[in-house]
Amino acid sequence: MSQQIDHLLNEDRRFAPSPEFAKNAIVGPEIYDDANSDRVRFWGEQARDLLHWHKPFSDVLDWSNPPFAKWFGDGELNVAYNCLDRHVEAGRGDRVAYHFEGEPGDTRTITYAQLTDEVKRLANVLTELGVGQGDRVAVYLPMIPEAIASLLAIARLGAVHSVVFGGFSADSLRARIDDAGAKVVITADGGYRKGRPSALKVNVDEALSDRGEGVQATVEKVLVVRRTEQDVEWTDGRDLWWHDAVPAASADHEAQPFPSENPLFILYTSGTTGRPKGILHTSGGYLTQAAFTHKTVFDLHAETDVFWCTADIGWVTGHTYATYAPLANGATQVLYEGTPEFPEPGRWWDLIEKYGVTIFYTAPTAVRSFMKQGREIPQKRDLSSIRLLGSVGEPINPEAWMWFRDVIGAGATPVVDTWWQTETGAIMISALPGVTETKPGSAQVPVPGVAIDVVDEKGDHVGNDAGGLLVATEPWPAMLRGIWGDPDRFVDTYWRMFSDKGYYFAGDGARRDADGDVWLLGRVDDVMNVSGHRLSTAEIESALVAHEATAEAAVVGGSDETTGQAVVAFVILKESFLKTNTAEGLAEELRAWVGTQIGAIARPRDVYIVDELPKTRSGKIMRRLLRDVAEGREVGDTQTLADTSVMSVITKQVR
Ligand code: 6R9
């Protein structure tokens, strides 16, 4: 990491907003003073300005029982009403909500009026299926308009969605369905990826089958979208087709108000243990900060902009910036089902040209893979509609930032690097494009109304030109309200570390430069970041040891040119298996195994078969040393190892 820090500290390029951009910007520099003068008043004003409250709130923040916050606690609203009906009622029903493009090239233009209509019908169907306030509904869908409609219909009923990424396995889906106690699952026969129909319904069937002795699935109904027309198994009485149920339902549905703190969604994310955490978000605070950051960080002019966030709804970025925030702000978006490379590497640029995308929000891993393919590909398209670029998911290295600005942004477009997490719900650190002089590679400053700091292990501010841990020092509206079903884990994971100060511990390392701007340096815990997706070392280790051939396994994140980090596994095999198989064959089998256990994104790039793992005297695996091996470095200090010769054996076996 020290090499990386040196590199970052030498970064002295600066890009001030152009006068034209600043002149037309939604907000100016005064917003910081406004927010800093009284943070709580400021958020109260944002909530009133940006949202419709069925019942106005009088209390902005209740922080009397930290870390359990209540924002706008006595107010009532309906999240879907805010995203849909109010725009239609204000005469904006004909505005396009989504330009949808399927991977095979099918398209649909969906206006706010049409989406509202579809959501009302679906809300009636879900009501019929017994879904009401507080019930959990699992969503396992590709990036198609029905996915967006599902989230909104569930929210409309005051129920709670739990989206499971379509790339996750049946086992991962089962664990999430069970943890949340979902009553209904919404899925599709399949979706299109890389030119092929992938199967989804079959995973739902598997997740709901074979529950074992005495284990009752909570799922009563499965609603199935027909997308690929592949054959599916059918369970009568449980399964129903979307195209039978939804069009036949009434399009009359009045949105009821729910308390601001009514749960909106659970989203599972990897932590430092093998068990994913169900991050819980609620309604009013989440939607306020989502809408506020979308408007200010992306300088949204809703009448003219076309916004495209490339994230899948399986991740928090797809929740906040491909669904809730843009809809709350009445924006027009692009929704694309497939991968950037299909049918050929310029697909995304074609979409930008075709739909006149003005604001483009994606991940550094995508930018780096486009860099590899060469600038000729985007340069063949007309990308002149773009006026703002955004990055999220992992640190963006200065070279990728510059390439993004130069090649995609014609050397003139502002780039905002936005730091946030599933837990924070919305953007926390970012430049404001009409205000901030940007620096390639730095997320820079907290957004107005958010208080963050970089501190040492005791929680003391490190000052400028120093590194430490990133914390939030004050509650923020979109903050997670807990971990589903596990309040102790919530307190332990995020609030124990700096409990005397009451700070939220983000799990990221960061540095302040001489100006006090923040540079994110990656996770400080056993969480990896592969292509912007969070994966836990423990989760993959437990998948590996679940294979009959594995005796022991250790997983680390090794740096990777394209994906940021890559999963690297060190595995000790059971003797008996080595007698009948080759090490190479078993390594390949284990890679595939992790793919089926968790999902393709978790599949290790490398599986090294070794005889031993480096352990301390107390038996802890020293991943730091394995990371040195994975990255081809000189192995660091081995003094605390129980057996100091282990590392030379491992190094030999790997090379
Ligand atoms: C939104 C999202 C969160 C983790 C976070 C950090 C990394 C996200 C970043 C960034 C540097 C950025 N991260 N954005 N690191 N610069 N702009 O990605 O949520 O999937 O929960 O991941 O991603 O390490 O802690 P999530």
Side-chain angles (χ1 to χ4, degrees):
M1 188 170 280
S2 67
Q3 233 177 342
Q4 181 198 359
I5 294 172
D6 288 347
H7 182 59
L8 289 177
L9 290 181
N10 293 330
E11 178 53 63
D12 55 9
R13 287 170 283 198
R14 302 284 180 270
F15 299 93
S18 73
E20 308 88 80
F21 198 103
K23 186 166 83 88
N24 296 321
I26 289 279
V27 289
E30 63 289 342
I31 191 165
Y32 290 105
D33 289 338
D34 181 25
N36 290 338
S37 69
D38 185 346
R39 204 186 312 279
V40 170
R41 171 197 47 78
F42 175 80
W43 282 121
E45 285 169 11
Q46 299 308 324
R48 285 185 198 100
D49 284 358
L50 293 163
L51 305 182
H52 172 84
W53 294 84
H54 277 79
K55 176 172 171 260
F57 54 87
S58 54
D59 199 13
V60 174
L61 170 65
D62 177 354
W63 191 233
S64 58
N65 179 30
F68 300 91
K70 290 197 177 98
W71 283 88
F72 319 117
D74 60 345
E76 291 181 359
L77 78 171
N78 185 291
V79 169
Y81 178 87
N82 273 281
C83 292
L84 299 169
D85 310 49
R86 67 169 168 147
H87 302 310
V88 178
E89 287 167 17
R92 296 189 291 269
D94 291 339
R95 187 180 289 173
V96 174
Y98 288 97
H99 294 289
F100 168 71
E101 179 132 339
E103 202 190 64
D106 55 317
T107 61
R108 281 186 256 172
T109 307
I110 301 155
T111 64
Y112 272 89
Q114 289 166 336
L115 186 59
T116 306
D117 188 89
E118 179 90 343
V119 167
K120 287 180 173 180
R121 290 178 201 275
L122 180 57
N124 282 324
V125 170
L126 292 174
T127 305
E128 195 74 10
L129 299 182
V131 175
Q133 183 180 7
D135 288 334
R136 277 79 61 207
V137 179
V139 175
Y140 187 62
L141 283 169
M143 278 297 272
I144 54 177
E146 287 82 355
I148 307 290
S150 295
L151 268 49
L152 292 163
I154 295 161
R156 191 178 186 88
L157 298 173
V160 186
H161 55 74
S162 166
V163 179
V164 181
F165 174 55
F168 276 137
S169 66
D171 277 344
S172 298
L173 175 63
R174 178 199 298 251
R176 285 158 176 76
I177 288 173
D178 287 351
D179 188 77
K183 196 168 183 177
V184 169
V185 179
I186 308 181
T187 189
D189 48 2
Y192 291 101
R193 269 190 84 74
K194 301 188 182 166
R196 282 189 319 252
S198 69
L200 289 171
K201 171 74 162 58
V202 62
N203 288 342
V204 175
D205 292 335
E206 193 184 326
L208 299 181
S209 71
D210 188 19
R211 312 295 304 176
E213 191 95 9
V215 183
Q216 184 74 45
T218 51
V219 173
E220 293 164 13
K221 300 283 176 189
V222 178
L223 183 62
V224 189
V225 177
R226 190 158 69 193
R227 171 72 186 135
T228 60
E229 309 201 3
Q230 61 195 283
D231 288 337
V232 291
E233 301 274 315
W234 207 250
T235 302
D236 286 326
R238 186 197 71 182
D239 300 348
L240 69 162
W241 283 113
W242 178 295
H243 62 259
D244 286 338
V246 178
S250 160
D252 287 332
H253 186 275
E254 200 182 327
Q256 300 303 311
F258 294 100
S260 178
E261 286 297 339
N262 196 59
L264 178 62
F265 66 83
I266 304 167
L267 185 58
Y268 288 84
T269 188
S270 296
T272 52
T273 72
R275 212 158 40 89
K277 311 176 271 200
I279 302 300
L280 176 68
H281 282 286
T282 60
S283 305
Y286 169 79
L287 200 61
T288 298
Q289 193 178 334
F292 171 76
T293 51
H294 181 248
K295 192 170 151 186
T296 54
V297 171
F298 298 112
D299 187 46
L300 181 79
H301 294 68
E303 311 73 37
T304 49
D305 275 319
V306 178
F307 180 78
W308 185 16
C309 164
T310 63
D312 190 284
I313 48 148
W315 312 108
V316 74
T317 309
H319 282 58
T320 306
Y321 298 105
T323 308
Y324 288 113
L327 292 174
N329 288 334
T332 295
Q333 298 179 76
V334 168
L335 181 72
Y336 173 56
E337 178 188 28
T339 51
E341 305 85 25
F342 190 84
E344 43 107 23
R347 185 70 185 270
W348 277 12
W349 317 126
D350 285 339
L351 293 174
I352 289 175
E353 178 174 332
K354 179 171 175 185
Y355 296 110
V357 170
T358 59
I359 307 168
F360 182 56
Y361 189 32
T362 194
T365 183
V367 176
R368 287 191 299 265
S369 69
F370 296 135
M371 283 173 79
K372 255 205 211 150
Q373 292 159 3
R375 60 179 66 208
E376 301 71 32
I377 297 171
Q379 276 171 349
K380 278 201 206 106
R381 276 82 179 180
D382 178 2
L383 304 181
S384 60
S385 57
I386 293 181
R387 63 178 198 88
L388 179 59
L389 297 168
S391 172
V392 63
E394 53 180 316
I396 181 163
N397 46 309
E399 290 335 301
W401 195 101
M402 287 303 303
W403 189 93
F404 202 24
R405 181 183 155 96
D406 284 344
V407 179
I408 308 306
T413 301
V415 176
V416 288
D417 175 14
T418 63
W419 178 91
W420 59 294
Q421 307 175 295
T422 306
E423 292 86 342
T424 71
I427 296 171
M428 300 288 275
I429 308 177
S430 172
L432 293 183
V435 178
T436 319
E437 186 184 60
T438 53
K439 302 175 177 178
S442 172
Q444 297 190 285
V445 285
V447 295
V450 166
I452 60 104
D453 201 0
V454 180
V455 299
D456 63 20
E457 245 129 63
K458 292 203 283 307
D460 293 326
H461 174 76
V462 296
N464 290 357
D465 260 335
L469 302 169
L470 187 74
V471 295
T473 58
E474 300 284 345
W476 63 100
M479 66 196 288
L480 77 165
R481 299 301 197 268
I483 293 176
W484 184 256
D486 202 344
D488 293 342
R489 192 173 177 199
F490 169 59
V491 175
D492 280 348
T493 310
Y494 304 108
W495 305 93
R496 187 76 73 210
M497 178 99 166
F498 299 112
S499 56
D500 47 334
K501 308 242 177 191
Y503 292 171
Y504 167 85
F505 170 56
D508 278 34
R511 219 188 139 78
R512 281 191 192 272
D513 65 16
D515 302 325
D517 282 339
V518 176
W519 299 71
L520 276 309
L521 302 175
R523 303 287 308 187
V524 296
D525 53 16
D526 290 330
V527 174
M528 293 171 291
N529 191 324
V530 179
S531 296
H533 301 317
R534 272 165 74 171
L535 295 170
S536 103
T537 53
E539 197 179 352
I540 299 175
E541 285 165 5
S542 70
L544 284 166
V545 296
H547 189 281
E548 53 178 2
T550 308
E552 238 188 304
V555 165
V556 298
S559 59
D560 185 282
E561 229 182 82
T562 306
T563 58
Q565 283 188 308
V567 179
V568 180
F570 296 82
V571 177
I572 304 177
L573 295 172
K574 291 180 189 152
E575 290 277 332
S576 53
F577 280 85
L578 272 175
K579 283 192 194 112
T580 46
N581 298 275
T582 64
E584 294 76 42
L586 284 168
E588 202 37 58
E589 188 174 324
L590 287 170
R591 289 186 66 242
W593 168 260
V594 173
T596 54
Q597 290 287 297
I598 301 174
I601 48 163
R603 206 153 47 199
R605 182 190 66 189
D606 307 307
V607 173
Y608 295 121
I609 307 298
V610 294
D611 290 340
E612 273 179 278
L613 291 170
K615 289 189 184 157
T616 61
R617 278 172 211 100
S618 63
K620 279 208 183 66
I621 294 173
M622 291 191 71
R623 291 196 179 71
R624 169 172 67 77
L625 300 175
L626 293 175
R627 217 170 292 132
D628 290 340
V629 175
E631 296 180 350
R633 261 194 310 271
E634 185 84 32
V635 172
D637 188 357
T638 56
Q639 279 184 41
T640 48
L641 284 182
D643 171 2
T644 51
S645 68
V646 169
M647 285 317 295
S648 55
V649 176
I650 293 178
T651 310
K652 262 195 222 108
Q653 289 184 315
V654 166
R655 299 226 168 104

